[in-house]
Amino acid sequence: MPQHDVLVIGAGLAGQRAALAAAEQGVSVGILSKVHPVRSHSNAAQGGINAALNPEDSWESHAFDTVKGSDYLGDQDAIEIMCREAPEEILRLEHLGVTFHRNAEGKLGTRAFGGASAARTYYVADITGQAILHVLYEQMMKHSDDVDRFEEYFTTALVQDDDGRIAGCVARNMRDGTMELFTAKKVILASGGNGQVFSPTTNALICTGDGIAMAYRVGAPLMDMEMIQYHPTTLAGLGLLITEGARGEGAHLYNAQGERFMERYAPNKMELASRDVVSRAEQTEINEGRGFPDGTVALDITVVPRKRIQEALREIVLVGRDFANVDITKEPIHIKPGNHYVMGGVRTDIDGQTPVESLYAAGEVACVSVHGGNRLGANSLLDTLIFGRRSGEHAATQAKQMSMPRPSTAHLADEQALIAEITGRDRTGRRVSEIKADLGAVMDKYAAVFRDEEGLTIALGRMRELKEEAKTVATDDKGTVFNQDVLGALELGFMLDNAECIVMGAIERKESRGAQYRTDYPDRNDEEWIKHINLTRNGDGPAISYSDVTMTQWEPQERTY
Amino acid sequence: MSAYTLKIRRFDPETGDTARWQDFDVDLAPERSVLDGILQAKDREDASIWIRCSCRAAICGSCSVKINGKTGLACNTRISDAAADAKNGSIVVEPMGNMPVIKDLIVDMDAVHWKKVQRVIPWLLPEGDPPEREYIVPAESMIDITQSMACIQCGACVGACLSLEVDPDFIGPAALAKAYRFVGDPRDGATEDRLVDLAEDPHGLYDCTHCFACVEVCPKDVAPMNQIMRMRRQATSDYEIKDNNNGYGHEKAFVGLIEKYGTLHEAQLLPRSFGDGSLVKGQTDPKAVKQLVEALPTAIRGVKSGKVSPLKALIHHKLPDQKQVRRIFHEIESKDERLELNMYIVGEVGGSNPDLDETAPAMGETGDEG
């Protein structure tokens, strides 16, 4: 039975950073991931990572941009920490070997990004997330003796001891189907977001909100779950991402009439306004009939010099070529807003601690909250690294003063029984994939860029029906070796918990702020709604409560770009 | 929507049965991928088909398989293209080669790919303490190694490598490309040690046979073979590492013979490759004599097959205008720096960003060569 001082669930940037930081403190560390770590979705972060590293720039400016971007829903103490610690983190990554772009003097060079008042995005072509993820994995290989890796282990549930403290988890070795009880003094969730709840989405198939749901199931509050980011530039149909870096490099947006429509929505920042602003602008153009027949607008990257495209936007040249049959160096590509990121998640403090004892969360699974109502581009990598590290350090320090908990092995038996029960079912209804497709379509229809009470209520009703249906879903695969089918059934359950909370939060917030735009409440309402919505499990559904937004030095202002 | 048939190789270790082929009919728009086809078959007919997949966008590196015999990512192979290549109308999908199959389309990458990556000491070994701020390095050096950094560890090259098929111990294209990511990194302090290690390994740098399979199948243009060749040039020309595998001698002999004759003098290539790339030095080296004797069967096969004749072995013809070949040699050797081919960077010089205009000429040079 594996035992660790600190156990990390998820091995993307937040997870690997947390594991390495904890190991540096000299405690025993384990890390579990349902995919090989380099397959993690941090890979997909293309554009870069923000830091006020230039002497002319300041962390205060970065922090203000982030606060404004969050539409004043972000907690300013956490934002200050993130922006203050960003430069040191970038340098640390550089020293570990990340191949950051250099300027002519050989120093770190930057590119412009949305919602930022300075060019402070550091990058590796348009594979920044991949480059950092692979370099962290190099460090994981280097420190193989210090961090036990459990690759292709699917965590099915968090485990509590008799006092309600988190004491580990149950995980299934996907290779042979064996299940084990992992005991740990501290557990850090770093399992990423929940984009698969929507269809289409830029998110990978693995982004099923497992950690969010598992935390919710042990009583951890979820915060600001209604804040779902729709990225302005995704491919229609497939939902694949075209980096904001394209606009950072100078690309323009046009409607079908050839108008550079951002002039009407954000005359100063144009295409580089906050993502929520650009996505709403695009969706307005499309809804009002100025889009293309396929429900899109055009992103014109041809204004960027061809050589620069090849050097800095290479990945999206390939995305255009392989997935849209478009040579982006020669012609515009059709794009639309698409599901991309969840600003909400498991509520944590600035050290990653959740209100449930011994449970931490970092990265997209968490809500610190540094992104509030809308995340700025290139702040997500930063979030994963800063709060991954802080969680790892804090958990390790605390673990040193604790004895190893003794969770009951009944937890393991329960999870084994659950899996046996699922694989033992005979098919009476639809497959996992059909329910999932239904879920994604409902969410994209009612919980996307524009929302209203009527639609959200329909969505909530559908969620509850799907939850019932999912309770009896059967699998084709009855085996133990790489039985993805049964894990898919578990993921479906996680996704439905996520979806229900997203919709409940969206119904509750009766105003428009950040990514939440309610056509029935089109204005921001600072008097009543500068507060976080917390959802805590109560029987079969969530109970709602509120918590304060921490303000340090920035009073809410009107938000224009 | 168009109709396609996927012929998928199924294998379930739990049944004890041997692998079998199973056909699945799918209908998809022609621009969708083979992965979309497999997922549709999974969703509609049989959810027990297993393939690793996640991002659907050729970035996570999970879904390498063999499609109609060619290794690649299922997610960025268009199903209509695959159908056009298919014999007998069915798109054949099977697991990658060179790695043990675990189930259906899943292979054991840990046992082969990751083991080899671990072999090349895949982390930066800087010299001394890091600077207070960033390391100052040429902009083009970072773009250069970003080509191997772009590797998504999908293993397509490993699955397609012909040298690995012959020598399973070969470090292989992906791990060697990873090695170049450090050899080419000016921040790494162990360049020579790394090159010596890889050159001396009998399954290392000189085990690649230059067949281009890895270059062809790589979905990210990493061109692993090019990285291997660049490390060879560094090992021989920059560090003069005279390795036990005669890689050094072979390269010297090859280049020397071309300079002299314009075409490859096959009969002399073998003996000259021993020792120092020279026939005389090679044969006087006691170690080389033993190796020469061992190479005799190869020479005899060459004579038997007519590849070399005793007469040609002595008198090899020169190109009619051998002076031009010498001129090329002179031209290249008169440069201060070796010209390196980096096919990753292409396109014309120029840019609107002043920060980049500075670096553009340097990049342009590389680009022009590509």
Side-chain angles (χ1 to χ4, degrees):
Chain A
M1 195 174 76
Q3 287 196 343
H4 296 93
D5 291 325
V6 175
L7 185 66
V8 184
I9 300 172
L13 285 188
Q16 292 194 37
R17 190 68 189 85
L20 290 166
E24 263 176 47
Q25 304 289 318
V27 300
S28 65
V29 181
I31 187 165
L32 291 155
S33 172
K34 65 177 177 177
V35 289
H36 187 284
V38 306
R39 317 290 174 216
S40 303
H41 193 56
S42 305
N43 257 336
Q46 297 170 340
I49 176 167
N50 288 333
L53 185 58
N54 268 333
E56 308 88 70
D57 201 359
S58 71
W59 71 261
E60 289 93 342
S61 164
H62 181 188
F64 171 70
D65 290 344
T66 304
V67 168
K68 181 181 171 188
S70 82
D71 219 348
Y72 298 91
L73 192 64
D75 286 311
Q76 296 180 7
D77 55 341
I79 291 172
E80 287 188 12
I81 286 171
M82 181 175 80
C83 298
R84 216 185 285 210
E85 294 181 1
E88 197 188 324
E89 191 65 29
I90 299 282
L91 291 176
R92 195 188 166 85
L93 292 172
E94 199 279 324
H95 294 159
L96 289 178
V98 176
T99 57
F100 283 117
H101 170 81
R102 306 291 159 143
N103 62 19
E105 291 116 60
K107 295 179 182 166
L108 295 174
T110 57
R111 70 162 41 125
F113 237 65
S117 49
R120 63 167 74 94
T121 302
Y122 294 86
Y123 65 98
V124 181
D126 54 353
I127 56 164
T128 313
Q130 181 199 334
I132 300 175
L133 184 71
H134 284 238
V135 167
L136 285 191
Y137 193 67
E138 289 168 9
Q139 295 299 310
M140 299 283 280
M141 291 191 276
K142 181 178 176 184
H143 295 287
S144 286
D145 294 341
D146 311 319
V147 180
D148 294 335
R149 303 197 300 270
F150 299 90
E151 297 167 354
E152 301 192 313
Y153 275 69
F154 186 104
T155 305
T156 65
L158 295 171
V159 164
Q160 289 165 289
D161 66 9
D162 296 340
D163 302 326
R165 276 188 323 192
I166 292 297
C169 71
V170 175
R172 178 176 166 102
N173 179 349
M174 292 164 69
R175 272 190 172 214
D176 60 13
T178 53
M179 300 193 54
E180 276 183 288
L181 177 62
F182 284 75
T183 305
K185 295 177 184 173
K186 300 283 178 188
V187 172
I188 302 174
L189 282 172
S191 48
N194 59 16
Q196 283 292 320
V197 163
F198 290 75
S199 178
T201 174
T202 61
N203 284 202
L205 298 167
I206 54 174
C207 302
T208 47
D210 303 9
I212 294 174
M214 285 190 283
Y216 172 70
R217 290 175 186 184
V218 295
L222 306 183
M223 194 163 89
D224 300 339
M225 287 293 284
E226 71 279 14
M227 294 303 181
I228 298 288
Q229 180 164 79
Y230 266 58
H231 192 286
T233 54
T234 71
L235 291 184
L238 286 171
L240 300 182
L241 178 67
I242 304 287
T243 177
E244 182 167 311
R247 284 170 286 137
E249 298 290 342
H252 297 161
L253 290 167
Y254 292 100
N255 62 21
Q257 293 159 13
E259 294 168 318
R260 212 177 146 196
F261 58 85
M262 283 311 296
E263 284 167 359
R264 291 200 293 278
Y265 302 90
N268 298 316
K269 295 296 283 185
M270 298 291 285
E271 282 84 358
L272 288 178
S274 270
R275 287 179 175 175
D276 57 330
V277 173
V278 181
S279 283
R280 262 195 303 278
E282 290 176 2
Q283 198 61 51
T284 303
E285 293 296 304
I286 294 163
N287 291 354
E288 292 178 0
R290 292 185 295 277
F292 293 96
D294 58 347
T296 61
V297 291
L299 176 70
D300 184 10
I301 309 170
T302 63
V303 294
V304 183
R306 190 181 158 83
K307 197 190 121 41
R308 179 65 185 159
I309 294 178
Q310 292 290 355
E311 173 187 302
L313 300 171
R314 191 177 182 84
E315 184 58 31
I316 60 167
V317 173
L318 299 180
V319 168
R321 184 194 75 188
D322 294 342
F323 300 104
N325 217 0
V326 169
D327 180 351
I328 61 159
T329 65
K330 296 207 175 95
E331 55 187 320
I333 187 163
H334 285 196
I335 50 86
K336 61 179 287 210
N339 174 277
H340 184 59
Y341 188 86
V342 54
M343 273 72 75
V346 184
R347 180 178 154 192
T348 74
D349 66 10
I350 52 170
D351 293 311
Q353 295 189 93
T354 74
V356 173
E357 204 183 329
S358 291
L359 181 66
Y360 292 71
E364 195 171 345
V365 63
C367 182
V368 187
S369 155
V370 285
H371 308 306
N374 170 69
R375 174 175 69 76
L376 291 190
N379 263 357
S380 63
L381 291 184
L382 187 59
D383 172 19
T384 63
L385 294 162
I386 298 291
F387 292 101
R389 175 176 56 70
R390 293 180 68 93
S391 298
E393 281 169 358
H394 195 272
T397 313
Q398 297 289 310
K400 283 180 191 170
Q401 298 153 19
M402 289 172 66
S403 55
M404 194 60 74
R406 295 166 177 269
S408 158
T409 51
H411 295 289
L412 175 61
D414 288 351
E415 292 302 304
Q416 284 168 326
L418 172 68
I419 293 213
E421 192 269 314
I422 294 171
T423 52
R425 289 175 197 161
D426 289 322
R427 179 181 314 291
T428 52
R430 302 193 293 175
R431 282 195 170 83
V432 171
S433 58
E434 293 167 283
I435 301 173
K436 187 185 160 192
D438 219 354
L439 162 68
V442 169
M443 293 299 284
D444 192 54
K445 182 166 182 191
Y446 298 112
V449 176
F450 293 112
R451 304 166 169 178
D452 62 26
E453 179 111 22
E454 195 190 339
L456 290 166
T457 309
I458 295 170
L460 188 61
R462 289 292 294 136
M463 286 315 112
R464 294 191 168 147
E465 288 165 23
L466 294 176
K467 265 178 106 166
E468 276 309 304
E469 192 182 355
K471 285 178 185 163
T472 58
V473 72
T475 61
D476 295 337
D477 197 337
K478 311 291 183 194
T480 54
V481 177
F482 279 107
N483 185 340
Q484 169 62 11
D485 204 6
V486 73
L487 302 181
L490 297 178
E491 287 174 339
L492 179 64
F494 293 148
M495 283 191 283
L496 287 163
D497 280 353
N498 277 264
E500 186 179 26
C501 291
I502 292 167
V503 175
M504 287 282 282
I507 291 174
E508 182 64 18
R509 184 172 288 280
K510 292 179 175 53
E511 65 154 352
S512 293
R513 179 183 302 275
Q516 153 102 341
Y517 193 94
R518 287 280 300 260
T519 52
D520 44 355
Y521 299 94
D523 296 322
R524 192 174 88 182
N525 178 350
D526 287 350
E527 277 187 17
E528 289 177 74
W529 284 106
I530 295 195
K531 56 188 177 188
H532 299 295
I533 296 176
N534 290 262
L535 303 155
T536 314
R537 188 179 186 186
N538 177 22
D540 208 25
I544 289 174
S545 60
Y546 305 103
S547 55
D548 291 337
V549 173
T550 309
M551 300 266 180
T552 57
Q553 45 179 312
W554 296 284
E555 287 296 314
Q557 299 168 6
E558 197 194 343
R559 184 163 165 260
T560 54
Y561 285 99
Chain B
M1 291 289 161
S2 307
Y4 302 97
T5 304
L6 295 168
K7 186 185 267 305
I8 299 178
R9 190 178 192 269
R10 304 295 306 271
F11 171 67
D12 184 349
E14 292 174 86
T15 62
D17 297 340
T18 51
R20 65 198 162 90
W21 294 98
Q22 194 176 356
D23 284 356
F24 295 93
D25 293 325
V26 296
D27 55 281
L28 280 171
E31 66 270 19
R32 299 299 288 267
S33 68
V34 171
L35 178 64
D36 289 327
I38 296 167
L39 292 178
Q40 191 181 84
K42 238 172 109 94
D43 288 353
R44 289 187 184 171
E45 279 188 66
D46 184 354
S48 75
I49 305 169
W50 230 101
I51 178 170
R52 286 193 185 100
C53 58
S54 182
C55 73
R56 307 160 295 138
I59 189 74
C60 78
S62 301
C63 68
S64 280
V65 289
K66 226 191 265 180
I67 300 165
N68 298 322
K70 195 190 164 202
T71 311
L73 295 177
C75 71
N76 77 341
T77 305
R78 231 170 267 151
I79 197 159
S80 51
D81 292 349
D85 287 347
K87 292 179 188 116
N88 310 322
S90 306
I91 300 166
V92 177
V93 186
E94 57 191 313
M96 282 192 282
N98 289 333
M99 286 178 262
V101 178
I102 299 178
K103 179 182 179 180
D104 290 346
L105 302 170
I106 301 182
V107 297
D108 191 347
M109 290 194 67
D110 291 344
V112 181
H113 174 77
W114 287 108
K115 206 170 93 187
K116 291 172 187 299
V117 169
Q118 188 85 28
R119 155 72 185 84
V120 302
I121 314 172
W123 49 82
L124 196 72
L125 295 169
E127 222 167 320
D129 292 330
E132 201 172 303
R133 281 182 64 99
E134 70 267 40
Y135 287 96
I136 309 287
V137 294
E140 55 268 36
S141 69
M142 286 294 111
I143 293 176
D144 174 39
I145 53 171
T146 294
Q147 181 173 18
S148 31
M149 205 68 234
C151 170
I152 55 175
Q153 310 294 342
C154 70
C157 58
V158 176
C161 177
L162 296 177
S163 293
L164 257 174
E165 227 174 285
V166 180
D167 174 15
D169 292 331
F170 176 35
I171 295 175
L176 286 171
K178 183 81 174 172
Y180 181 73
R181 170 250 176 290
F182 301 103
V183 167
D185 193 327
R187 298 169 295 183
D188 195 84
T191 312
E192 185 169 4
D193 292 345
R194 288 179 189 276
L195 287 169
V196 169
D197 175 36
L198 297 172
E200 294 290 2
D201 189 327
H203 314 286
L205 272 189
Y206 296 108
D207 211 9
C208 165
T209 59
H210 226 144
C211 77
F212 280 83
C214 58
V215 179
E216 201 180 314
V217 300
C218 176
K220 308 306 285 188
D221 296 343
V222 171
M225 190 198 77
N226 292 14
Q227 315 308 331
I228 297 171
M229 293 309 140
R230 298 173 76 185
M231 286 192 288
R232 282 191 189 175
R233 286 193 287 276
Q234 291 183 0
T236 52
S237 303
D238 300 348
Y239 292 94
E240 306 209 331
I241 299 164
K242 293 174 184 163
D243 57 286
N244 276 314
N245 304 305
N246 286 315
Y248 177 87
H250 188 68
E251 178 168 313
K252 291 278 174 209
F254 207 110
V255 174
L257 289 170
I258 297 291
E259 187 175 6
K260 188 165 179 194
Y261 297 105
T263 58
L264 192 60
H265 191 332
E266 305 229 12
Q268 287 214 11
L269 182 63
L270 191 66
R272 277 189 190 234
S273 293
F274 296 112
D276 214 356
S278 136
L279 190 58
V280 180
K281 281 191 207 161
Q283 286 173 343
T284 51
D285 184 340
K287 200 172 54 186
V289 175
K290 182 173 170 280
Q291 286 173 314
L292 264 175
V293 172
E294 281 168 5
L296 265 175
T298 312
I300 292 166
R301 269 202 309 276
V303 174
K304 273 191 180 164
S305 66
K307 197 168 183 185
V308 286
S309 72
L311 183 66
K312 270 194 197 161
L314 294 171
I315 312 156
H316 187 78
H317 70 281
K318 286 185 183 176
L319 281 188
D321 203 358
Q322 178 61 17
K323 268 190 196 153
Q324 293 297 338
V325 175
R326 295 245 171 94
R327 198 181 56 75
I328 294 170
F329 269 79
H330 178 75
E331 179 75 24
I332 292 170
E333 280 163 2
S334 67
K335 304 259 188 220
D336 288 341
E337 278 179 45
R338 186 169 58 243
L339 298 175
E340 283 292 348
L341 194 68
N342 184 342
M343 292 194 284
Y344 191 58
I345 307 301
V346 290
E348 68 271 19
V349 180
S352 56
N353 189 335
D355 170 46
L356 295 155
D357 272 348
E358 297 280 340
T359 62
M363 300 313 309
E365 274 173 34
T366 341
D368 290 342
E369 290 151 39

